[in-house]
Coordinates of all heavy atoms in Angstrom, one line a residue:
T255 N 4.2 11.9 -14.7 CA 3.5 11.7 -13.3 C 4.6 11.0 -12.5 O 5.2 10.0 -12.8 CB 2.3 10.8 -13.5 OG1 1.4 11.6 -14.4 CG2 1.7 10.7 -12.1
K256 N 4.7 11.4 -11.3 CA 5.6 10.8 -10.3 C 5.0 9.6 -9.8 O 3.8 9.5 -9.7 CB 6.0 11.8 -9.1 CG 6.7 13.0 -9.5 CD 6.9 13.9 -8.4 CE 7.6 15.2 -8.8 NZ 7.6 16.1 -7.7
P257 N 5.8 8.6 -9.3 CA 5.2 7.3 -8.8 C 4.6 7.6 -7.5 O 4.8 8.6 -6.8 CB 6.4 6.4 -8.6 CG 7.6 7.4 -8.5 CD 7.2 8.5 -9.3
P258 N 3.7 6.7 -7.1 CA 3.0 6.8 -5.7 C 4.0 6.7 -4.6 O 5.1 6.0 -4.7 CB 2.0 5.7 -5.7 CG 2.5 4.7 -6.6 CD 3.3 5.5 -7.7
V259 N 3.8 7.4 -3.5 CA 4.4 7.2 -2.3 C 3.8 6.2 -1.4 O 2.6 6.4 -1.1 CB 4.6 8.6 -1.5 CG1 5.4 8.4 -0.2 CG2 5.3 9.6 -2.4
V260 N 4.4 5.1 -1.1 CA 3.8 4.1 -0.3 C 4.7 3.8 0.9 O 5.9 3.5 0.7 CB 3.6 2.7 -1.2 CG1 3.1 1.6 -0.3 CG2 2.8 3.1 -2.3
R261 N 4.1 3.9 2.1 CA 4.8 3.5 3.3 C 4.0 2.5 4.1 O 2.9 2.8 4.4 CB 5.1 4.8 4.1 CG 5.9 5.9 3.5 CD 7.2 5.4 3.1 NE 8.1 5.0 4.1 CZ 9.3 4.3 3.8 NH1 9.8 4.1 2.7 NH2 10.1 3.9 4.9
A262 N 4.6 1.4 4.5 CA 3.9 0.4 5.3 C 4.5 0.6 6.7 O 5.7 0.7 6.9 CB 4.1 -1.0 4.7
R263 N 3.7 0.4 7.8 CA 4.2 0.6 9.1 C 3.4 -0.4 10.0 O 2.2 -0.6 9.8 CB 3.9 2.0 9.6 CG 4.1 2.2 11.0 CD 4.0 3.6 11.5 NE 5.2 4.3 11.0 CZ 5.3 5.6 10.7 NH1 4.2 6.4 10.8 NH2 6.4 6.2 10.2
C264 N 4.2 -0.9 11.0 CA 3.6 -1.7 12.1 C 4.5 -1.3 13.3 O 5.7 -1.4 13.1 CB 3.4 -3.2 11.8 SG 4.9 -4.1 11.4
G265 N 3.9 -1.2 14.5 CA 4.6 -0.8 15.5 C 5.5 0.4 15.3 O 5.1 1.4 14.6
S266 N 6.9 0.3 15.5 CA 7.8 1.4 15.3 C 8.5 1.1 14.0 O 9.5 1.8 13.7 CB 8.7 1.5 16.4 OG 9.5 0.3 16.6
S267 N 8.2 0.1 13.2 CA 8.9 -0.3 11.9 C 8.2 0.2 10.8 O 7.0 0.3 10.7 CB 9.0 -1.9 11.9 OG 9.7 -2.4 12.9
E268 N 9.0 0.6 9.8 CA 8.5 1.2 8.6 C 9.2 0.7 7.3 O 10.5 0.4 7.5 CB 8.4 2.7 8.6 CG 7.8 3.5 7.5 CD 7.7 4.9 7.7 OE1 6.9 5.4 8.4 OE2 8.7 5.6 7.1
A269 N 8.5 0.5 6.3 CA 9.1 0.0 5.0 C 8.5 0.7 3.9 O 7.3 1.1 3.9 CB 9.0 -1.5 5.0
G270 N 9.2 0.8 2.7 CA 8.7 1.3 1.5 C 8.6 0.1 0.5 O 8.9 -1.0 0.7
I271 N 8.3 0.5 -0.9 CA 8.2 -0.4 -1.9 C 9.6 -1.1 -2.1 O 10.6 -0.5 -2.1 CB 7.8 0.4 -3.1 CG1 6.5 1.0 -3.1 CG2 7.8 -0.6 -4.4 CD1 6.1 2.0 -4.1
G272 N 9.4 -2.5 -2.2 CA 10.6 -3.3 -2.4 C 11.3 -3.7 -1.1 O 12.2 -4.5 -1.1
D273 N 10.9 -3.2 0.0 CA 11.5 -3.5 1.3 C 10.7 -4.6 2.0 O 9.6 -5.0 1.7 CB 11.5 -2.3 2.2 CG 12.3 -1.2 1.7 OD1 13.3 -1.4 0.9 OD2 12.1 0.0 2.1
S274 N 11.3 -5.0 3.2 CA 10.6 -6.0 4.0 C 10.3 -5.3 5.3 O 11.1 -4.5 5.8 CB 11.5 -7.2 4.3 OG 11.7 -8.0 3.1
L275 N 9.2 -5.8 5.9 CA 8.8 -5.2 7.2 C 8.5 -6.4 8.1 O 7.8 -7.4 7.7 CB 7.5 -4.4 7.0 CG 6.8 -3.8 8.1 CD1 7.8 -2.7 8.7 CD2 5.6 -3.1 7.7
T276 N 9.0 -6.4 9.4 CA 8.7 -7.4 10.3 C 7.9 -6.9 11.4 O 8.0 -5.8 12.0 CB 10.1 -7.9 11.0 OG1 10.9 -8.4 10.0 CG2 9.7 -9.0 12.0
C277 N 6.7 -7.5 11.5 CA 5.6 -7.0 12.5 C 5.5 -8.1 13.6 O 5.7 -9.2 13.4 CB 4.3 -6.9 11.7 SG 4.3 -5.7 10.4
G278 N 5.2 -7.5 14.8 CA 4.9 -8.4 15.8 C 3.4 -9.1 15.7 O 2.5 -8.4 15.1
T279 N 3.2 -10.2 16.3 CA 1.9 -10.9 16.3 C 0.9 -9.9 17.1 O 1.3 -9.4 18.2 CB 1.9 -12.2 16.9 OG1 2.9 -13.0 16.2 CG2 0.6 -12.9 16.9
G280 N -0.2 -9.6 16.4 CA -1.1 -8.7 17.1 C -1.1 -7.3 16.7 O -1.8 -6.4 17.1
D281 N 0.1 -7.0 15.9 CA 0.3 -5.5 15.5 C -0.8 -5.3 14.3 O -1.2 -6.2 13.7 CB 1.6 -5.3 14.8 CG 2.8 -5.1 15.9 OD1 2.5 -5.0 17.1 OD2 3.9 -5.2 15.4
D282 N -1.1 -4.0 14.1 CA -1.8 -3.6 13.0 C -0.9 -3.1 11.9 O 0.2 -2.5 12.3 CB -2.8 -2.4 13.3 CG -4.0 -2.9 14.0 OD1 -4.4 -4.0 13.9 OD2 -4.6 -2.0 14.7
L283 N -1.1 -3.5 10.7 CA -0.4 -3.1 9.6 C -1.1 -1.9 8.9 O -2.3 -2.0 8.6 CB -0.2 -4.2 8.6 CG 0.5 -4.0 7.3 CD1 2.0 -3.6 7.5 CD2 0.4 -5.2 6.4
A284 N -0.4 -0.8 8.7 CA -1.0 0.3 8.1 C -0.2 0.7 6.9 O 1.1 0.7 6.9 CB -1.0 1.6 9.1
I285 N -0.9 0.9 5.8 CA -0.3 1.3 4.5 C -0.7 2.6 4.0 O -2.0 2.8 3.7 CB -0.6 0.2 3.4 CG1 -0.1 -1.2 3.8 CG2 0.1 0.6 2.1 CD1 -1.1 -1.9 4.6
H286 N 0.1 3.6 4.0 CA -0.2 4.9 3.6 C 0.2 5.1 2.1 O 1.3 4.8 1.7 CB 0.4 6.0 4.5 CG 0.1 7.4 4.1 ND1 -1.2 7.9 4.5 CD2 0.6 8.3 3.4 CE1 -1.3 9.1 4.0 NE2 -0.1 9.4 3.4
V287 N -0.8 5.7 1.4 CA -0.5 6.0 -0.1 C -0.8 7.4 -0.4 O -1.8 7.9 0.0 CB -1.5 5.1 -1.0 CG1 -1.2 5.3 -2.4 CG2 -1.3 3.6 -0.6
A288 N 0.1 8.0 -1.1 CA -0.1 9.4 -1.6 C 0.4 9.4 -3.0 O 1.3 8.8 -3.4 CB 0.7 10.4 -0.7
M289 N -0.3 10.3 -3.8 CA 0.1 10.5 -5.2 C -0.3 11.9 -5.6 O -1.3 12.2 -6.1 CB -0.7 9.5 -6.2 CG -0.1 9.4 -7.6 SD 0.2 7.8 -8.1 CE 0.9 8.2 -9.7
P290 N 0.6 12.8 -5.1 CA 0.2 14.3 -5.3 C -0.1 14.7 -6.7 O -0.9 15.7 -6.8 CB 1.5 14.9 -4.8 CG 2.2 14.0 -3.9 CD 1.9 12.6 -4.5
D291 N 0.5 14.1 -7.7 CA 0.2 14.5 -9.1 C -1.2 14.0 -9.5 O -1.7 14.6 -10.5 CB 1.2 13.9 -10.0 CG 2.6 14.5 -9.8 OD1 2.7 15.5 -9.1 OD2 3.6 14.0 -10.5
L292 N -1.8 13.2 -8.8 CA -3.1 12.6 -9.1 C -4.1 12.5 -8.0 O -4.4 11.4 -7.6 CB -3.0 11.2 -9.8 CG -2.3 11.1 -11.2 CD1 -2.1 9.7 -11.6 CD2 -3.1 11.8 -12.2
P293 N -4.5 13.6 -7.4 CA -5.3 13.7 -6.2 C -6.7 13.0 -6.5 O -7.3 12.5 -5.5 CB -5.4 15.1 -5.8 CG -5.2 15.9 -7.1 CD -4.2 15.0 -7.8
D294 N -7.1 13.0 -7.8 CA -8.4 12.3 -8.0 C -8.3 10.9 -8.3 O -9.3 10.1 -8.6 CB -9.1 12.9 -9.3 CG -9.4 14.4 -9.0 OD1 -9.7 14.8 -7.8 OD2 -9.5 15.1 -9.9
A295 N -7.1 10.3 -8.2 CA -6.9 8.8 -8.4 C -7.5 8.0 -7.3 O -7.7 8.5 -6.2 CB -5.4 8.6 -8.6
T296 N -7.6 6.7 -7.6 CA -8.0 5.8 -6.6 C -6.9 4.7 -6.4 O -6.1 4.5 -7.4 CB -9.3 5.0 -7.0 OG1 -9.1 4.4 -8.2 CG2 -10.5 5.9 -7.0
A297 N -6.7 4.1 -5.2 CA -5.7 3.2 -4.9 C -6.4 1.9 -4.5 O -7.3 2.0 -3.6 CB -4.9 3.7 -3.7
S298 N -6.0 0.8 -5.0 CA -6.5 -0.5 -4.6 C -5.5 -1.1 -3.7 O -4.2 -1.2 -4.2 CB -6.8 -1.4 -5.8 OG -8.0 -0.9 -6.4
F299 N -5.8 -1.6 -2.6 CA -4.9 -2.3 -1.7 C -4.9 -3.8 -2.1 O -6.0 -4.4 -2.1 CB -5.2 -2.1 -0.3 CG -4.5 -3.0 0.8 CD1 -3.2 -2.9 0.9 CD2 -5.2 -3.8 1.6 CE1 -2.5 -3.7 1.7 CE2 -4.5 -4.6 2.5 CZ -3.1 -4.6 2.6
V300 N -3.8 -4.4 -2.4 CA -3.8 -5.8 -2.9 C -3.0 -6.6 -1.9 O -1.7 -6.2 -1.7 CB -3.2 -5.9 -4.4 CG1 -3.0 -7.4 -4.8 CG2 -4.1 -5.1 -5.3
W301 N -3.4 -7.6 -1.3 CA -2.8 -8.4 -0.3 C -2.7 -9.9 -0.8 O -3.7 -10.5 -1.1 CB -3.5 -8.4 1.0 CG -2.9 -9.3 2.1 CD1 -3.3 -10.5 2.5 CD2 -1.7 -9.0 2.8 NE1 -2.5 -11.0 3.5 CE2 -1.5 -10.1 3.6 CE3 -0.7 -8.0 2.8 CZ2 -0.4 -10.2 4.5 CZ3 0.4 -8.1 3.6 CH2 0.5 -9.2 4.5
N302 N -1.5 -10.4 -1.0 CA -1.2 -11.7 -1.5 C -2.0 -12.0 -2.7 O -2.7 -13.0 -2.9 CB -1.5 -12.8 -0.4 CG -0.5 -12.8 0.7 OD1 0.6 -12.3 0.6 ND2 -0.9 -13.2 1.8
A303 N -2.0 -11.0 -3.7 CA -2.6 -11.1 -5.0 C -4.1 -11.0 -5.1 O -4.7 -11.1 -6.1 CB -2.2 -12.4 -5.8
A304 N -4.8 -10.7 -3.9 CA -6.2 -10.5 -3.7 C -6.5 -9.0 -3.5 O -5.9 -8.4 -2.6 CB -6.7 -11.3 -2.7
R305 N -7.2 -8.4 -4.4 CA -7.7 -7.0 -4.1 C -8.6 -6.9 -2.9 O -9.5 -7.6 -2.8 CB -8.5 -6.5 -5.3 CG -8.7 -5.0 -5.2 CD -9.3 -4.4 -6.5 NE -8.1 -4.3 -7.4 CZ -8.4 -4.2 -8.7 NH1 -9.5 -4.0 -9.2 NH2 -7.3 -4.1 -9.5
M306 N -8.1 -6.2 -1.9 CA -8.9 -6.1 -0.7 C -10.0 -5.0 -0.7 O -11.1 -5.2 -0.2 CB -7.9 -5.9 0.6 CG -6.8 -7.0 0.6 SD -7.4 -8.7 0.7 CE -8.0 -8.7 2.4
T307 N -9.5 -3.8 -1.0 CA -10.4 -2.6 -1.0 C -9.9 -1.6 -1.8 O -8.6 -1.5 -2.2 CB -10.6 -2.1 0.5 OG1 -11.6 -1.1 0.4 CG2 -9.4 -1.6 1.1
T308 N -10.6 -0.6 -2.2 CA -10.2 0.5 -3.0 C -10.7 1.9 -2.5 O -11.8 1.9 -2.0 CB -10.8 0.5 -4.5 OG1 -10.3 -0.8 -5.0 CG2 -10.4 1.5 -5.3
K309 N -9.8 2.9 -2.4 CA -10.3 4.2 -1.8 C -9.7 5.3 -2.7 O -8.7 5.1 -3.5 CB -9.5 4.4 -0.5 CG -9.9 3.4 0.6 CD -9.3 3.8 1.9 CE -9.6 2.9 3.0 NZ -8.9 3.3 4.2
T310 N -10.4 6.4 -2.7 CA -9.9 7.7 -3.4 C -8.6 8.1 -2.6 O -8.7 8.1 -1.3 CB -10.9 8.8 -3.4 OG1 -12.1 8.2 -4.1 CG2 -10.4 10.0 -4.0
I311 N -7.6 8.5 -3.3 CA -6.4 8.9 -2.6 C -6.4 10.3 -2.0 O -6.1 10.5 -0.9 CB -5.2 8.8 -3.6 CG1 -4.9 7.4 -4.1 CG2 -3.9 9.4 -3.0 CD1 -3.9 7.2 -5.2
G312 N -7.0 11.3 -2.8 CA -7.1 12.7 -2.3 C -5.6 13.1 -1.9 O -4.7 13.0 -2.6
R313 N -5.5 13.6 -0.7 CA -4.2 14.1 -0.1 C -3.3 13.0 0.4 O -2.3 13.2 0.9 CB -4.4 15.2 0.9 CG -5.0 16.4 0.3 CD -5.2 17.5 1.3 NE -5.8 18.7 0.7 CZ -5.5 19.9 1.1 NH1 -4.8 20.1 2.2 NH2 -6.0 21.0 0.5
G314 N -4.0 11.8 0.5 CA -3.3 10.6 1.0 C -4.4 9.8 1.6 O -5.3 10.2 2.3
T315 N -4.3 8.5 1.6 CA -5.1 7.6 2.2 C -4.4 6.4 2.9 O -3.3 6.1 2.5 CB -6.2 7.0 1.2 OG1 -7.2 6.4 1.9 CG2 -5.6 6.1 0.3
T316 N -5.0 5.8 3.9 CA -4.3 4.7 4.6 C -5.3 3.5 4.6 O -6.5 3.6 4.9 CB -4.0 5.2 6.0 OG1 -3.2 6.3 6.0 CG2 -3.4 4.1 6.8
F317 N -4.7 2.3 4.4 CA -5.4 1.1 4.5 C -4.8 0.4 5.8 O -3.6 0.5 6.1 CB -5.0 0.2 3.3 CG -5.4 0.7 2.1 CD1 -4.6 1.4 1.2 CD2 -6.8 0.6 1.5 CE1 -5.0 1.9 0.0 CE2 -7.1 1.1 0.4 CZ -6.3 1.7 -0.5
T318 N -5.6 -0.3 6.5 CA -5.1 -1.0 7.8 C -5.7 -2.5 7.8 O -6.8 -2.7 7.2 CB -5.5 -0.3 9.0 OG1 -7.0 -0.1 9.1 CG2 -4.9 1.1 9.2
M319 N -4.9 -3.3 8.3 CA -5.4 -4.7 8.6 C -4.5 -5.3 9.7 O -3.4 -4.8 10.0 CB -5.2 -5.5 7.3 CG -3.8 -5.6 6.8 SD -3.5 -6.7 5.4 CE -3.4 -8.3 6.3
P320 N -5.0 -6.3 10.3 CA -4.1 -7.1 11.3 C -2.9 -7.6 10.5 O -2.8 -8.0 9.4 CB -5.0 -8.2 11.7 CG -6.3 -7.8 11.5 CD -6.2 -7.0 10.2
A321 N -1.7 -7.5 11.1 CA -0.4 -7.9 10.5 C -0.5 -9.4 10.3 O -1.0 -10.1 11.1 CB 0.8 -7.5 11.4
A322 N 0.1 -9.8 9.2 CA 0.2 -11.2 8.9 C 1.3 -11.4 7.9 O 1.9 -10.4 7.3 CB -1.1 -11.7 8.2
A323 N 1.8 -12.5 7.7 CA 2.9 -12.8 6.8 C 2.4 -12.8 5.4 O 1.3 -13.4 5.1 CB 3.6 -14.1 7.1
G324 N 3.1 -12.1 4.4 CA 2.7 -12.0 3.0 C 3.2 -10.9 2.4 O 4.3 -10.4 2.7
Y325 N 2.5 -10.4 1.2 CA 3.1 -9.2 0.6 C 1.9 -8.4 0.2 O 0.8 -8.8 0.0 CB 3.9 -9.6 -0.6 CG 3.1 -10.2 -1.8 CD1 2.7 -9.5 -2.8 CD2 2.9 -11.6 -1.8 CE1 2.0 -10.1 -3.8 CE2 2.3 -12.2 -2.8 CZ 1.8 -11.4 -3.8 OH 1.1 -12.0 -4.9
L326 N 2.2 -7.1 0.0 CA 1.1 -6.1 -0.4 C 1.7 -5.3 -1.6 O 2.9 -5.2 -1.8 CB 0.8 -5.2 0.7 CG 1.9 -4.2 1.2 CD1 1.8 -2.9 0.6 CD2 1.8 -4.1 2.7
R327 N 0.8 -4.9 -2.4 CA 1.0 -4.0 -3.6 C -0.1 -3.0 -3.6 O -1.2 -3.1 -3.0 CB 0.9 -4.7 -4.9 CG 2.0 -5.8 -5.2 CD 1.7 -6.4 -6.6 NE 2.6 -7.5 -6.8 CZ 3.7 -7.4 -7.4 NH1 4.1 -6.2 -7.9 NH2 4.5 -8.5 -7.7
V328 N 0.1 -1.9 -4.3 CA -0.8 -0.9 -4.4 C -1.0 -0.7 -5.9 O 0.0 -0.5 -6.6 CB -0.4 0.4 -3.7 CG1 -1.5 1.6 -4.0 CG2 -0.3 0.1 -2.2
H329 N -2.2 -0.8 -6.4 CA -2.6 -0.3 -7.8 C -3.3 1.0 -7.8 O -4.3 1.2 -7.1 CB -3.5 -1.5 -8.4 CG -2.9 -2.8 -8.5 ND1 -3.5 -3.8 -9.2 CD2 -1.8 -3.4 -8.0 CE1 -2.8 -5.0 -9.2 NE2 -1.8 -4.7 -8.3
V330 N -2.7 1.8 -8.6 CA -3.3 3.3 -8.6 C -4.0 3.5 -10.0 O -3.4 3.1 -11.1 CB -2.2 4.3 -8.4 CG1 -2.8 5.7 -8.6 CG2 -1.6 4.2 -7.1
Y331 N -5.2 3.9 -10.0 CA -5.9 4.2 -11.2 C -6.4 5.7 -11.3 O -6.8 6.3 -10.3 CB -7.3 3.3 -11.3 CG -7.0 1.9 -11.1 CD1 -7.0 1.3 -9.9 CD2 -6.7 1.1 -12.3 CE1 -6.7 -0.1 -9.8 CE2 -6.3 -0.2 -12.1 CZ -6.4 -0.8 -10.9 OH -6.0 -2.1 -10.8
A332 N -6.1 6.2 -12.5 CA -6.4 7.6 -12.7 C -7.9 7.8 -12.7 O -8.7 6.8 -12.8 CB -5.9 8.1 -14.0
A333 N -8.4 9.1 -12.6 CA -9.8 9.4 -12.6 C -10.6 8.8 -13.8 O -11.7 8.4 -13.6 CB -10.1 10.8 -12.6
D334 N -9.9 8.6 -14.9 CA -10.6 8.0 -16.1 C -10.6 6.5 -16.1 O -11.0 5.9 -17.0 CB -10.1 8.5 -17.4 CG -8.5 8.1 -17.6 OD1 -7.9 7.3 -16.8 OD2 -8.0 8.6 -18.6
G335 N -10.0 5.9 -15.0 CA -10.0 4.4 -14.9 C -8.8 3.8 -15.5 O -8.5 2.5 -15.3
S336 N -7.9 4.5 -16.1 CA -6.7 4.0 -16.7 C -5.7 3.7 -15.5 O -5.7 4.4 -14.6 CB -6.1 4.9 -17.7 OG -5.6 6.1 -17.1
T337 N -4.9 2.7 -15.7 CA -3.9 2.3 -14.7 C -2.7 3.4 -14.7 O -2.2 3.7 -15.7 CB -3.2 0.9 -15.1 OG1 -4.3 0.0 -15.0 CG2 -2.1 0.6 -14.0
A338 N -2.5 3.9 -13.5 CA -1.4 4.9 -13.4 C -0.2 4.3 -12.8 O 0.9 4.8 -13.1 CB -1.9 6.1 -12.5
A339 N -0.3 3.3 -11.9 CA 0.8 2.7 -11.3 C 0.5 1.3 -10.7 O -0.7 1.2 -10.2 CB 1.4 3.6 -10.2
I340 N 1.4 0.4 -10.7 CA 1.3 -0.8 -10.0 C 2.6 -1.0 -9.3 O 3.7 -1.1 -9.9 CB 0.9 -2.1 -10.9 CG1 -0.3 -1.9 -11.5 CG2 1.1 -3.4 -10.1 CD1 -0.7 -3.0 -12.6
T341 N 2.7 -1.0 -8.0 CA 3.9 -1.0 -7.2 C 4.5 -2.3 -7.2 O 3.8 -3.4 -7.3 CB 3.8 -0.5 -5.8 OG1 2.9 -1.4 -5.0 CG2 3.0 0.9 -5.7
N342 N 5.8 -2.4 -6.9 CA 6.5 -3.7 -6.5 C 5.9 -4.0 -5.1 O 5.4 -3.1 -4.5 CB 8.0 -3.5 -6.6 CG 8.4 -3.5 -8.0 OD1 8.0 -4.3 -8.7 ND2 9.5 -2.8 -8.2
P343 N 6.2 -5.2 -4.7 CA 5.6 -5.6 -3.4 C 6.4 -5.0 -2.2 O 7.6 -4.6 -2.3 CB 5.8 -7.1 -3.3 CG 6.4 -7.5 -4.6 CD 6.8 -6.4 -5.4
V344 N 5.8 -4.9 -1.1 CA 6.3 -4.7 0.3 C 6.1 -6.1 1.0 O 4.9 -6.5 1.0 CB 5.7 -3.6 1.1 CG1 6.2 -3.5 2.5 CG2 5.8 -2.3 0.3
Y345 N 7.1 -6.7 1.4 CA 7.0 -8.0 2.0 C 6.9 -7.8 3.5 O 7.6 -7.1 4.2 CB 8.3 -8.8 1.8 CG 8.5 -9.1 0.2 CD1 9.3 -8.2 -0.5 CD2 7.8 -10.1 -0.4 CE1 9.5 -8.4 -1.9 CE2 7.9 -10.3 -1.7 CZ 8.8 -9.4 -2.4 OH 9.0 -9.6 -3.7
V346 N 5.9 -8.7 4.1 CA 5.7 -8.6 5.6 C 5.9 -9.8 6.1 O 5.4 -10.9 5.7 CB 4.2 -8.1 5.8 CG1 3.9 -7.9 7.3 CG2 3.9 -6.8 5.1
Q347 N 6.6 -9.9 7.3 CA 6.9 -11.1 8.1 C 6.3 -10.8 9.5 O 6.3 -9.7 9.9 CB 8.4 -11.4 8.2 CG 9.0 -11.5 6.9 CD 10.5 -11.4 6.9 OE1 11.1 -10.9 7.9 NE2 11.3 -12.0 5.9
T348 N 6.0 -11.9 10.2 CA 5.6 -11.7 11.6 C 6.5 -12.5 12.5 O 7.1 -13.5 12.1 CB 4.1 -12.2 11.8 OG1 4.0 -13.5 11.3 CG2 3.1 -11.3 11.0
R349 N 6.7 -12.0 13.6 CA 7.5 -12.7 14.7 C 6.8 -13.1 15.9 O 5.7 -12.5 16.2 CB 8.7 -11.8 15.0 CG 8.4 -10.4 15.5 CD 9.7 -9.8 15.9 NE 9.6 -8.3 15.7 CZ 8.8 -7.5 16.4 NH1 8.1 -8.0 17.4 NH2 8.8 -6.2 16.2

């Protein structure tokens, strides 16, 4: 199984897993997750070690929140509930 594709974006800036992203105050942070090999999987959006919400991935899903300083991870679970992936962080800074 290929790893999940995770892209974080705010304003015109974009970052992937292991990268840093700088957002302006008042920006929205959008995290897009795709896992083509596991369309029935679910993705949990984790912000600063707290699970925020979980969605079915399907052809791709997006989580959004107001931009803040911290880090995010995505935990992916297969349809049977087993862990398929836990990403490294994407670090977010605000200016």
Side-chain angles (χ1 to χ4, degrees):
T255 302
K256 294 179 183 173
V259 177
V260 176
R261 299 303 299 168
R263 172 177 284 155
C264 60
S266 61
S267 300
E268 185 174 278
I271 295 169
D273 295 334
S274 293
L275 181 65
T276 301
C277 300
T279 305
D281 281 352
D282 280 335
L283 174 63
I285 302 87
H286 183 75
V287 181
M289 190 127 184
D291 291 352
L292 294 174
D294 295 337
T296 58
S298 291
F299 171 59
V300 178
W301 177 255
N302 291 335
R305 182 171 293 164
M306 304 302 283
T307 188
T308 300
K309 296 181 179 182
T310 300
I311 295 175
R313 293 179 180 211
T315 191
T316 302
F317 300 97
T318 57
M319 63 173 273
Y325 69 94
L326 64 96
R327 292 180 188 267
V328 176
H329 296 192
V330 178
Y331 301 95
D334 66 3
S336 64
T337 301
I340 297 176
T341 69
N342 283 326
V344 175
Y345 300 96
V346 181
Q347 302 166 341
T348 54
R349 55 174 151 70

